[in-house]
Amino acid sequence: MENGIITKLLEFQKEIQAIKKDAKNPHFKNTYASLNQILSEVKPLLSKHGLFLSQPVRDGNVATIITDGTCLEDIYSEIPLPTNLTPQQLGSAITYFRRYTISSLLSLETEDDD
């Protein structure tokens, strides 16, 4: 498929730059790219190539799905959420897993890897 999802992702990868680190972890004293930073850099380029990003929580998993808006092909990554978390811990885990599933699915790099 000439203009399928793989071709569009290849074009995306040619354009995406290293993601800027914009957040600090006081516990480990390091910096990282927040989910908001990743999304702000990734979503416009995905949209430019006709790709839609969604990150639902389903069946106890955090999923990242990239769908080609033309042919509806998709690729996805899922990771199971830990059980027995408080609501705040669950929210933190969801954000953390969203950040990591999108980064791994798109092979994203940060400005300087720790």
Side-chain angles (χ1 to χ4, degrees):
M1 194 171 282
E2 187 176 319
N3 290 320
I5 193 166
I6 300 302
T7 301
K8 291 178 179 182
L9 285 170
L10 177 61
E11 292 304 311
F12 165 85
Q13 283 191 341
K14 289 178 185 177
E15 293 183 49
I16 191 72
Q17 301 293 312
I19 307 295
K20 294 178 181 81
K21 293 181 179 182
D22 68 324
K24 295 182 189 274
N25 181 330
H27 182 71
F28 293 110
K29 298 184 180 7
N30 65 344
T31 58
Y32 64 96
S34 68
L35 177 59
N36 286 341
Q37 181 67 26
I38 293 169
L39 293 175
S40 72
E41 294 191 38
V42 164
K43 284 173 61 175
L45 281 177
L46 289 173
S47 294
K48 175 183 173 182
H49 295 288
L51 300 171
F52 173 74
L53 169 70
S54 60
Q55 294 190 293
V57 176
R58 59 183 186 187
D59 301 322
N61 296 312
V62 173
T64 293
I65 306 165
I66 299 172
T67 304
D68 183 326
T70 305
C71 65
L72 302 182
E73 287 180 289
D74 66 24
I75 62 168
Y76 69 94
S77 176
E78 286 185 340
I79 189 167
L81 284 165
T83 57
N84 300 321
L85 299 178
T86 67
Q88 286 178 318
Q89 291 170 327
L90 181 60
S92 293
I94 290 169
T95 300
Y96 186 85
F97 290 165
R98 286 178 66 201
R99 196 162 46 95
Y100 278 94
T101 57
I102 193 170
S103 294
S104 65
L105 188 61
L106 293 173
S107 298
L108 299 177
E109 301 170 21
T110 55
E111 283 182 323
D112 57 339
D113 201 8
D114 292 328

